[in-house]
Amino acid sequence: MDVRKKTREIGRKALDVEALKRSFIEWLVYSVGKDAPAATRRDWFNSAALAIRDRVVDRWMDTTRTVYAQDAKRVYYLSMEFLIGRLLSNNLANLGIMEACREAMDAIGVRLDDVLEVEPDPALGNGGLGRLAACFLDSMATKNLPGYGYGIRYEYGLFEQRFEHGWQVEYPDNWMRFGNPWEFARPEVLYPIQFYGRVEQVRDGSGRTAFRWVDTEKVNAMAFDTPVVGYGGETINTLRLWSARATSDFHFGHFNEGDYLKAVEQKVLTENLSRVLYPNDATDAGRELRFKQEYFFTSASIQDILRRYGQHHTSFDALPDKAAIQLNDTHPAIGIAELMRLLVDQHGLEWEKAWDITNRTFGYTNHTLLPEALEAWPVRLVERVLPRHMQIIYEINAQFLNRIKRTSDPARIQRLSLIDEHGDRRVRMGNLAFLGSHKVNGVSALHTDLMKQTVFADFHTVFPDRITNKTNGITPRRWLQQANPSLSKLITSRIGQGWVTDLEQLSVLTAKADDEVFQEEFRRAKRQNKKRLAAYIARHVQVDVNVDSLFDVQVKRIHEYKRQLLNILQTVALYNEMRDNPTKEWVPVTKIFAGKAAPAYHTAKLIIKLANDVAAVINQDPVLRGALKLVMLPNYNVSQAEIIMPAADLSEQISTAGMEASGTGNMKLALNGALTIGTLDGANVEIREHVGPENIFIFGLTADEVRDLRLGGGFHPREVIAANPRLKRALDMIASGVFSPDDPQRFRPIVESLYNTDFFLVTADFEDYCNVHAEAVEQYRDARGWTRKAIINTASVGWFSSDRTILEYADEIWGVKPVTPVHIEAEAAE
């Protein structure tokens, strides 16, 4: 290589301030096509992203080459969602060049923080499922585990949430309108995906019965790759997302006939597959699109896995030794039938051998015990859209039921069947995922125990060693180091930086819980974060909040079982107490909500409207003198969470016990020094064990008590309400239109539901919740005592790192070992 050219190449990839500055300007001129005086913040963002991408690509290729050279076993993580958040700040932090980049931008005359704010959040997920997948990718790369994420490249994501007159209104989240500098299009990586058609039974060359899926409609799945940068930049893994492409973009015949819409109809219909996350399934068309989405990305991913495997192997015997496919919930469960189809129909394997390979390759993570989340697709839909897969599912089911019929009664066989025969026959995707996987894991200790007792009790009897627990975790890189620089700098100043990759080192901080100097610095960091959030609230919802008030936070998907309604009712009750006692010296409280409701989930949307209507009254009441505020922030996403989590004082984890699989927001908030108020549900149980019962506020029924109350038939919410004056008063105010004078009947459906059924036991837990909440607020008066508890929370939740979770998966489910990329070994040798 020419020496001057080599010097230029080194300069493009160097990490010092001068090299970064030069790269930013070069990319601005030669890629964006502008000079510095004309550049906008978005121009500088694109230039910075491309310059940093340069510094990632070589290590990315080194990682890939090393894994290929060693023929190492890989993890393939299949998920409908990857809520990855902004990547520029994440990649700068993981490469260790945040401050160098800041200095380089300062030298140009640009504020790095302004540039970072320009990047949109990739609209690739909705809630905890997608954020967990993103944390896992970060941990796999940080721990040098060879891993791929597979999902869909959604053009518009779930939706952009806006509030219009307090109502949630959905708009397209056009996050890619300006392009995505992090992704690499792979037009050569294109797989055909088939739908509909019919199945022919034929004889193959050996005279065996074989099946051909013919007369199908085809769609192409095209790959887009995003590098996943591990901490330290040693390993760069891949997130591969699939975009739907029509087999024919344009029909000249229709166009020439003047039917211009028909000319592009096929392209439009095809590309709907990757436009929106979770299309509204209130209609038949929406349900079919959602089912097709799941098969689309799962089939493309499995075809890609087999292609990669086939580059080094001539038989499929070793597939389970080289590939671990993890199903993140039931959405990709159709992959079990798809791998069987590919092995049996395309590659000619015997059924028994193909099933053995499939079963040893797949693992399944269950995330919920809610019936609606354990997908069950109508048999008639599966038969029409994927006729060959329906045949395969029937065969899997027949062989399984035949094997267990001697030891199972008819009722158990019905429950174990992959087909629900009651009413409109349905394919139980949770049962398929369980049966087709060698390991099935829950995501908290309580959730895993409940899986064994409830939804998979019969399967647990048949396969007693299959269910295992892997309590969720969060990446400390994004959720403490990046989201909370004030606290992370304080921690590093005391214990060094090792905690970033070994979060349990935070336990050393327990000894500083009573240190007055450390307490003061901890409070100062929290106050800085609260001021930042207060400014964000004022900017986005035009409400001024008191930074010295208790920031009481509930941020998560809006759902009845998560019980935002319980929080709102307690807020109304507290409002009444404050109005009744205006001269009392109240601890000021700011209630902060955020979260999206599914477009077709009318009750959840009505709860959002109730929160906004209650806020409109409380926030303007002069009697309170600002002692109580309520804000509902629109369009909750990762970037908003990074502002909210570090500022929280109290973390609301108040789901009906036994219904939250784990939760990860509880972990993020506790890590950032918030105290939890919650039920003994999900990972709250384990958080209580780690932080100590004196440093968490627990209330309400346990999962066992919830079950007994429901089964016993002794719960009568109308009687509970009648016996509780403050609950009745709050409900009467809501029902009579105090908070909705323009439409007094607006919230009657919510109130009537609580009186008549109250399935989620809001009224049952209301009194205990109010009392424990009052205790928490009173403890907040004692700044030193509260800070002590907050420090202990931060110090005690290191076990909830996704690094720990991933290493458990790797060791106990996947059998995957770390692979050190060659460039790291070379540097170490030098």
Side-chain angles (χ1 to χ4, degrees), residues 97 173 196 202 367 407 409 563 602 823:
I97 58 172
D173 189 347
Y196 309 113
V202 296
H367 283 282
T407 57
D409 59 60
R563 298 203 298 191
H602 300 297
H823 64 262

Side-chain angles (χ1 to χ4, degrees), residues 494-543:
R494 296 302 198 275
I495 68 172
Q497 207 164 3
W499 63 268
V500 179
T501 53
D502 181 9
L503 197 60
E504 292 191 72
Q505 289 186 22
L506 293 183
S507 62
V508 176
L509 296 174
T510 304
K512 300 185 181 297
D514 293 306
D515 183 317
E516 290 187 17
V517 174
F518 188 77
Q519 277 204 4
E520 180 59 35
E521 293 184 64
F522 193 94
R523 279 194 295 272
R524 189 179 303 123
K526 177 65 73 173
R527 185 174 171 79
Q528 288 177 1
N529 292 321
K530 292 175 75 171
K531 289 173 70 175
R532 179 176 64 160
L533 176 55
Y536 181 92
I537 291 170
R539 188 165 62 251
H540 288 272
V541 294
Q542 293 74 53
V543 175

Side-chain angles (χ1 to χ4, degrees), residues 20-256:
L20 288 167
K21 174 185 170 184
R22 187 164 55 249
S23 287
F24 296 157
I25 293 173
E26 286 179 356
W27 274 108
L28 179 70
V29 173
Y30 297 111
S31 179
V32 178
K34 289 187 179 180
D35 60 10
T40 65
R41 290 193 304 168
R42 188 171 305 282
D43 296 330
W44 283 116
F45 160 70
N46 282 314
S47 301
L50 292 168
I52 301 308
R53 195 177 77 166
D54 267 359
R55 287 152 174 81
V56 167
V57 167
D58 279 344
R59 288 171 179 250
W60 189 23
M61 292 182 176
D62 287 345
T63 300
T64 302
R65 280 191 290 262
T66 304
V67 173
Y68 268 111
Q70 296 185 16
D71 192 21
K73 186 174 185 178
R74 297 172 172 88
V75 180
Y76 297 108
Y77 199 81
L78 273 60
S79 179
M80 281 289 282
E81 302 181 35
F82 286 95
L83 205 57
I84 56 178
R86 291 169 171 163
L87 291 180
L88 179 55
S89 57
N90 185 76
N91 290 344
L92 291 176
N94 278 1
L95 291 170
I97 58 172
M98 182 70 78
E99 292 311 311
C101 190
R102 192 180 305 279
E103 288 183 38
M105 283 290 183
D106 285 343
I108 297 170
V110 177
R111 288 184 71 249
L112 177 60
D113 290 345
D114 292 339
V115 173
L116 296 177
E117 283 295 315
V118 169
E119 184 173 11
D121 273 45
L124 300 172
N126 175 31
L129 184 83
R131 186 51 235 173
L132 180 76
C135 285
F136 280 3
L137 292 186
D138 177 88
S139 287
M140 279 189 256
T142 296
K143 295 302 178 183
N144 295 330
L145 295 171
Y148 261 76
Y150 278 114
I152 296 178
R153 181 180 178 264
Y154 300 106
E155 191 174 344
Y156 298 111
L158 186 70
F159 56 82
E160 178 188 339
Q161 180 194 53
R162 301 181 195 171
F163 297 147
E164 297 180 3
H165 307 292
W167 292 99
Q168 171 180 293
V169 179
E170 301 89 21
Y171 287 87
D173 189 347
N174 193 7
W175 67 284
M176 289 192 291
R177 65 168 66 89
F178 298 108
N180 178 7
W182 299 109
E183 69 180 8
F184 290 80
R186 306 295 192 198
E188 75 284 1
V189 182
L190 202 70
Y191 294 103
I193 312 298
Q194 298 172 273
F195 297 104
Y196 309 113
R198 57 189 177 84
V199 180
E200 291 182 342
Q201 182 172 318
V202 296
R203 296 284 178 181
D204 64 14
S206 304
R208 298 179 306 175
T209 300
F211 298 89
R212 292 193 307 169
W213 187 12
V214 298
D215 298 334
T216 58
E217 293 183 12
K218 292 186 176 63
V219 174
N220 287 326
M222 177 178 159
F224 287 79
D225 290 348
T226 299
V228 179
V229 181
Y231 186 73
E234 295 182 356
T235 292
I236 316 288
N237 283 334
T238 301
L239 171 61
R240 174 160 284 182
L241 302 175
W242 301 105
S243 182
R245 294 290 189 265
T247 53
S248 176
D249 284 350
F250 190 77
H251 195 289
F252 258 113
H254 291 313
F255 186 84
N256 289 334

Side-chain angles (χ1 to χ4, degrees), residues 209-329:
T209 300
F211 298 89
R212 292 193 307 169
W213 187 12
V214 298
D215 298 334
T216 58
E217 293 183 12
K218 292 186 176 63
V219 174
N220 287 326
M222 177 178 159
F224 287 79
D225 290 348
T226 299
V228 179
V229 181
Y231 186 73
E234 295 182 356
T235 292
I236 316 288
N237 283 334
T238 301
L239 171 61
R240 174 160 284 182
L241 302 175
W242 301 105
S243 182
R245 294 290 189 265
T247 53
S248 176
D249 284 350
F250 190 77
H251 195 289
F252 258 113
H254 291 313
F255 186 84
N256 289 334
E257 292 168 0
D259 195 341
Y260 306 128
L261 292 178
K262 191 76 172 175
V264 295
E265 180 183 53
Q266 190 59 43
K267 174 181 171 63
V268 171
L269 291 175
T270 295
E271 295 180 0
N272 280 341
L273 280 169
S274 55
R275 289 201 200 283
V276 175
L277 168 65
Y278 301 143
N280 189 339
D281 58 2
T283 66
D284 288 341
R287 282 189 289 273
E288 182 171 323
L289 177 59
R290 189 158 168 173
F291 178 61
K292 289 173 69 176
Q293 277 186 328
E294 294 180 359
Y295 177 67
F296 163 77
F297 99 88
T298 302
S299 174
S301 302
I302 293 176
Q303 290 184 66
D304 198 43
I305 292 165
L306 294 186
R307 173 197 60 80
R308 189 174 296 109
Y309 172 84
Q311 292 177 341
H312 290 269
H313 303 273
T314 55
S315 84
F316 288 99
D317 293 353
L319 181 63
D321 301 319
K322 298 300 177 183
I325 303 176
Q326 190 70 24
L327 305 175
N328 193 25
D329 220 344

Side-chain angles (χ1 to χ4, degrees), residues 77 79-84 124-136 158 277-278 328-329 331 365 367 443 472-474 479 555-558 561-562 595-596 636-638 641 645 660-668 802:
Y77 199 81
S79 179
M80 281 289 282
E81 302 181 35
F82 286 95
L83 205 57
I84 56 178
L124 300 172
N126 175 31
L129 184 83
R131 186 51 235 173
L132 180 76
C135 285
F136 280 3
L158 186 70
L277 168 65
Y278 301 143
N328 193 25
D329 220 344
H331 306 124
T365 300
H367 283 282
V443 290
N472 283 344
I474 59 174
W479 293 111
V555 289
K556 53 187 75 226
R557 181 166 53 95
I558 309 299
Y561 89 85
K562 294 179 183 287
K596 296 179 178 180
Y636 184 55
N637 58 21
V638 174
M645 302 287 184
E660 184 73 83
S662 169
T664 53
N666 46 8
M667 302 170 191
K668 295 162 194 164
S802 53

